[in-house]
Amino acid sequence: MAHPHISAPANFRRRAIGAACLTALASVAHAQATDVTALPAVTVRAQEPTSPTSLTGFGNKPLVSVPLQATVISRNQLDETQARRLADILVFEASATDAYNSPGYWDFIAVRGFTLDQTYNYRREGLPISAETVISLQNKERVEILKGTSGIQAGTSAPGGLVNYIVKRPTAAPLRNVSVTTGERGTLGAAVDLGGRAGDLDRFGYRLNVAYDNARPEIAHYDHVESSLAALATDWRITPDSLLEAEVEWSHQVGKSLPGFSLTGSTLPQARKPDNLNNQPWSQPNQFDGLTGTLRFDQRLAHGWHWVSQLGTQRLKTNDRLAYPFGSDCGGAGYCDRYGDNGDYDVYDFRSENEHRRVHAGQTSLKGRLDTGAVRHELNGGVLVNRLRADMQEGANNLVGVGNIDGTKVTPADPTVGTNHGTDRTERSVELFVNDAIDWGHGFSTWLGLRHARLNRESIRTDGSNPTRSKDNTTTPWLAGSYEWHPRQHVYASWGKGAESYALPGNAGGNNFENAGQSLLAKTRQWEVGTKGQHETTEWGLSYFDVRRPVINVLDEELQFDGDALHRGIDGNIAHAIGPWQARVGAMLLKARRENTVDHKLDGKRPTNVPERTLKAQLRYRVAAVPGLDLQANVTHEGRRMVLTDNSIGLPSWTRTDVIGRFSHRLDGTTLTWTLGVLNVFDRRAWKESPNQYGHVYLFPLEARTVRLTMLAEL
């Protein structure tokens, strides 16, 4: 839909640009068609075949058969979208949306309207990790997004779902891939992907990924984000029944993060092209360093049973720096949750250097099949031990002057250390879990899951004050029933509980809370009914969900329960292939409301930054006249989001279109694949999200039109 501030001729020109990009690629490919060897015809399914995923907790059960909704974004889809970060792949999942995604910073996403917790809702190879860092996608084989109850997989977590990163593993045949990417304003990237097997009977496997990227996005007053990655995955087939796998990755990123815009007084400003408000002469780049690895042993036992043990470790170092815009004349009569009427805001020199986070996790489990008469059980049980430690340093958070959204005001620096007291914390958990998928025959199955967690938390301010200690025990059950009325076609109903752990930060919005580190545990519950299935070239999933989650707010400088958030909605997707055409459409309709709040005027109001609807569609056409050429369009539509808790101001709905052209051909024995991607092809202007951080309203605009070209050589 057209933005009200874009004239019809301008709109037409932007659409013409998008059409011209695809037409040009098709013309070039057609001109080359007579000079290249035609590739054999390829049969493509509507989407990636569903396969077992570690997110479900039910072993080797294929995803289509498990009574919950999940999406698997494949390596091919990551390459198509030229994705650099998690936020780049939300186009493939309608129930996943932005929740504070700033260039140069780590990702925040929401699933079914609930923002995923950076400490509890992310997994790597099935083990807990901290997502308070930048996570590279260059060495990831796929990304799994579980929608709905996460209590089946995590002792404590936000109820929206889970994200699991799966790394690339050794290949059976030799792999020698090199890729180069170029794009806007001199963006340049390169990557090498090597894999294969060696040794007697190919017992040893390896996969090496090395990547470098220097991104220069279309953002005014912004330079670049530079990132590097080196990753190695190996395996050893000790015996036909014993497999040892190890992998490690090192990552580094440096670049400035972008704070959001905000309301100007009581007005929603006109959406604008992305600009960098972190543009003071003294602004420093953020730096994220990570070293992460896992070791896994898989032993196949008699009668199809498996014993799997896994260890994981993650070590992160962060330098978090920002010319931080916050409110307007908060010490006077101005606003503290938005910018002033004239676009002014207070500027803080924020520096948190040498943040260290360490996560260590170990899990051992036993899974297999047990028959009791005509009833079949698929069992999976084990124990997960997890330890997280976060060490902060005394930092700076100093008011240095007044800035303005026009970028003309310059302030002095004040890096004086000691004004920003962080919170050191240590968290330990032991989780016992058991899952049982019971097949009663005649298409009927029941699914039982139970997880018991023992939690220990300690925290202390970086100035040595306010030590806290807490212990909690929580049990999160989950059960479901399903009926397979036709092979690989199911209906199901499920119910489950979860738990979410909150902690009061040491410093938030300039407030040094006296009880920093205080924690509170909230119990959530949700139920769901749905259907999912596959039939020839069609796949689908549809569900109705109902989630109730206690809201915890800071009231009188203490964490307190403040009513409930109730999210009810429908989400679904369908994929279909016919001839050279493939289409996939996903949508979510969400009714999110607050209930029983301390401020009763908020009862019935919609939570901020939660879209009322989403629609995400991908359409692909394989050009038969030019073998190897695929054209694709991705459309993302989001409905209205609330900016203020009283719902007096909201963001209008918006629609973004991306186009992708891919052309593969053979040249001197090498397969070359060219990918031309144009993000936001019509260069729409809109506020895409309105997150609250420390009680302050921020606005983030849609990315400007971005063009990238990637060449992949398979040697």
Side-chain angles (χ1 to χ4, degrees):
M1 57 189 297
H3 193 284
H5 300 288
I6 297 178
S7 65
N11 229 358
F12 176 80
R13 287 194 299 270
R14 289 178 171 86
R15 286 177 168 81
I17 290 172
C21 289
L22 290 180
T23 303
L25 184 66
S27 299
V28 171
H30 182 70
Q32 295 179 352
T34 58
D35 299 326
V36 300
T37 303
L39 297 177
V42 178
T43 301
V44 183
R45 292 185 55 84
Q47 67 179 48
E48 297 294 321
T50 57
S51 59
T53 168
S54 58
L55 276 179
T56 67
F58 287 98
N60 292 323
K61 282 284 187 180
L63 185 56
V64 70
S65 302
V66 181
L68 51 79
Q69 301 287 342
T71 295
V72 178
I73 295 96
S74 69
R75 181 69 245 174
N76 190 54
Q77 291 170 307
L78 296 177
D79 290 338
E80 284 177 356
T81 54
Q82 299 161 312
R84 287 182 167 92
R85 57 187 295 190
L86 182 62
D88 293 338
I89 63 175
L90 300 186
V91 65
F92 295 113
E93 176 46 60
S95 67
T97 55
D98 294 294
Y100 188 95
N101 281 328
S102 166
Y105 206 58
W106 58 62
D107 293 295
F108 289 85
I109 72 166
V111 178
R112 291 180 172 175
F114 292 107
T115 301
L116 302 191
D117 191 288
Q118 304 300 100
T119 303
Y120 305 109
N121 283 77
Y122 290 83
R123 299 290 187 266
R124 184 179 180 279
E125 295 292 299
L127 292 178
I129 60 169
S130 170
E132 292 179 302
T133 190
V134 173
I135 299 175
S136 173
L137 297 180
Q138 288 283 6
N139 70 318
K140 304 304 184 292
E141 185 63 33
R142 63 183 187 272
V143 180
E144 304 170 341
I145 301 177
L146 170 68
K147 299 183 288 183
T149 180
S150 55
I152 192 174
Q153 276 290 325
T156 58
S157 60
L162 291 176
V163 172
N164 188 32
Y165 296 94
I166 301 297
V167 304
K168 294 177 180 178
R169 289 292 176 182
T171 55
L175 177 73
R176 304 289 184 268
N177 287 353
V178 177
S179 64
V180 177
T181 298
T182 186
E184 67 285 351
R185 300 175 61 194
T187 290
L188 184 65
V192 175
D193 186 1
L194 308 176
R197 308 203 66 82
D200 182 37
L201 300 177
D202 289 338
R203 291 182 184 274
F204 298 97
Y206 64 92
R207 188 74 175 270
L208 176 66
N209 282 266
V210 179
Y212 170 81
D213 189 66
N214 192 333
R216 299 179 179 272
E218 292 286 353
I219 299 172
H221 306 108
Y222 193 75
D223 41 19
H224 68 284
V225 176
E226 188 175 13
S227 59
S228 303
L229 170 81
L232 176 65
T234 63
D235 67 31
W236 176 22
R237 296 172 181 169
I238 304 171
T239 72
D241 295 327
S242 304
L243 177 65
L244 182 65
E245 297 176 292
E247 56 84 19
V248 64
E249 70 177 73
W250 167 85
S251 61
H252 169 80
Q253 178 172 303
V254 59
K256 294 179 183 178
S257 64
L258 269 68
F261 291 82
S262 189
L263 299 175
T264 50
S266 58
T267 302
L268 178 69
Q270 180 178 338
R272 54 193 292 173
K273 185 176 181 177
D275 199 348
N276 179 22
L277 300 184
N278 180 19
N279 190 36
Q280 295 296 327
W282 46 266
S283 295
Q284 299 293 311
N286 290 335
Q287 182 176 330
F288 303 96
D289 291 287
L291 184 64
T292 310
T294 58
L295 180 68
R296 179 170 54 241
F297 180 69
D298 188 332
Q299 178 66 49
R300 186 164 53 193
L301 306 174
H303 307 295
W305 283 76
H306 277 261
W307 170 50
V308 180
S309 291
Q310 191 170 2
L311 297 173
T313 186
Q314 181 187 37
R315 296 176 179 270
L316 307 174
K317 178 185 175 182
T318 301
N319 292 325
D320 193 351
R321 309 159 175 141
L322 185 66
Y324 190 36
F326 195 94
S328 173
D329 189 23
C330 285
Y335 300 97
C336 274
D337 66 342
R338 67 194 79 175
Y339 301 160
D341 296 297
N342 63 349
D344 281 355
Y345 50 78
D346 292 342
V347 179
Y348 289 80
D349 187 342
F350 175 85
R351 307 186 191 212
S352 181
E353 308 276 354
N354 292 315
E355 299 178 359
H356 288 271
R357 296 174 177 86
R358 295 182 293 277
V359 180
H360 305 294
Q363 178 174 281
T364 185
S365 64
L366 188 66
K367 56 186 178 182
R369 171 179 164 180
L370 178 66
D371 293 337
T372 56
V375 179
R376 175 184 303 172
H377 298 260
E378 295 282 350
L379 295 166
N380 181 28
V383 58
L384 169 65
V385 180
N386 185 35
R387 184 180 187 273
L388 178 145
R389 182 173 177 83
D391 293 316
M392 307 290 113
Q393 307 295 323
E394 292 288 283
N397 191 30
N398 304 311
L399 178 63
V400 294
V402 175
N404 187 274
I405 58 175
D406 64 9
T408 60
K409 294 190 176 184
V410 176
T411 66
D414 184 3
T416 304
V417 173
T419 57
N420 179 39
H421 303 302
T423 302
D424 297 337
R425 72 185 194 275
T426 300
E427 303 183 14
R428 298 179 299 275
S429 67
V430 178
E431 302 177 17
L432 305 175
F433 60 92
V434 60
N435 302 315
D436 187 7
I438 308 171
D439 184 353
W440 300 93
H442 305 290
F444 290 96
S445 298
T446 53
W447 310 73
L448 307 175
L450 189 68
R451 182 174 289 260
H452 177 76
R454 299 178 59 186
L455 312 172
N456 290 272
R457 303 183 62 159
E458 299 176 10
S459 69
I460 188 170
R461 284 255 287 264
T462 50
D463 62 357
S465 64
N466 294 87
T468 67
R469 179 174 295 179
S470 64
K471 292 184 178 181
D472 289 294
N473 292 287
T474 181
T475 301
T476 52
W478 181 82
L479 59 90
S482 66
Y483 173 64
E484 185 179 46
W485 80 84
H486 190 273
R488 303 179 74 82
Q489 299 178 32
H490 305 257
V491 292
Y492 68 90
S494 68
W495 171 91
K497 287 188 175 182
E500 191 167 5
S501 182
Y502 291 79
L504 192 64
N507 181 289
N511 296 317
N512 289 305
F513 295 117
E514 293 300 320
N515 53 346
Q518 175 195 0
S519 64
L520 203 61
L521 194 67
K523 300 292 183 69
T524 63
R525 72 105 182 102
Q526 53 188 294
W527 59 269
E528 179 177 323
V529 294
T531 179
K532 58 195 302 188
Q534 296 177 343
H535 179 67
E536 296 180 351
T537 59
T538 303
E539 299 182 9
W540 73 88
L542 179 67
S543 66
Y544 173 84
F545 57 88
D546 184 301
V547 186
R548 182 177 294 273
R549 167 207 191 186
V551 174
I552 295 178
N553 279 331
V554 179
L555 305 173
D556 299 325
E557 295 192 357
E558 290 188 32
L559 285 178
Q560 298 182 23
F561 288 105
D562 186 12
D564 297 314
L566 182 61
H567 290 205
R568 292 172 175 162
I570 298 173
D571 73 27
N573 61 80
I574 184 169
H576 182 66
I578 179 170
W581 293 94
Q582 298 178 61
R584 187 180 191 276
V585 179
M588 178 180 67
L589 300 176
L590 179 62
K591 182 179 181 181
R593 296 291 183 269
R594 291 287 304 279
E595 293 184 349
N596 306 314
T597 60
V598 172
D599 182 357
H600 294 302
K601 291 184 294 185
L602 300 181
D603 287 345
K605 302 298 184 182
R606 188 175 187 85
T608 59
N609 204 32
V610 176
E612 60 188 1
R613 66 181 182 273
T614 60
L615 175 68
K616 300 182 180 182
Q618 300 88 49
L619 179 65
R620 181 198 305 273
Y621 177 67
R622 189 172 68 252
V623 182
V626 185
L629 178 62
D630 284 331
L631 303 178
Q632 181 174 334
N634 298 334
V635 178
T636 300
H637 169 81
E638 287 196 4
R640 186 175 173 85
R641 295 187 188 217
M642 292 297 113
V643 177
L644 299 178
T645 55
D646 63 4
N647 290 186
S648 59
I649 298 179
L651 300 185
S653 60
W654 55 266
T655 302
R656 189 192 79 202
T657 304
D658 309 329
V659 296
I660 301 167
R662 302 193 83 191
F663 177 58
S664 295
H665 64 100
R666 298 279 293 177
L667 180 65
D668 294 333
T670 298
T671 298
L672 299 178
T673 300
W674 303 82
T675 302
L676 176 64
V678 186
L679 176 72
N680 192 8
V681 65
F682 303 126
D683 209 18
R684 284 292 312 276
R685 294 283 175 263
W687 299 117
K688 68 173 181 176
E689 58 165 324
S690 55
N692 270 250
Q693 188 178 64
Y694 303 136
H696 194 284
V697 174
Y698 289 101
L699 304 171
F700 284 98
L702 280 178
E703 297 86 348
R705 180 169 53 227
T706 300
V707 180
R708 290 188 190 132
L709 176 65
T710 299
M711 186 276 292
L712 170 66
E714 300 176 58
L715 306 178

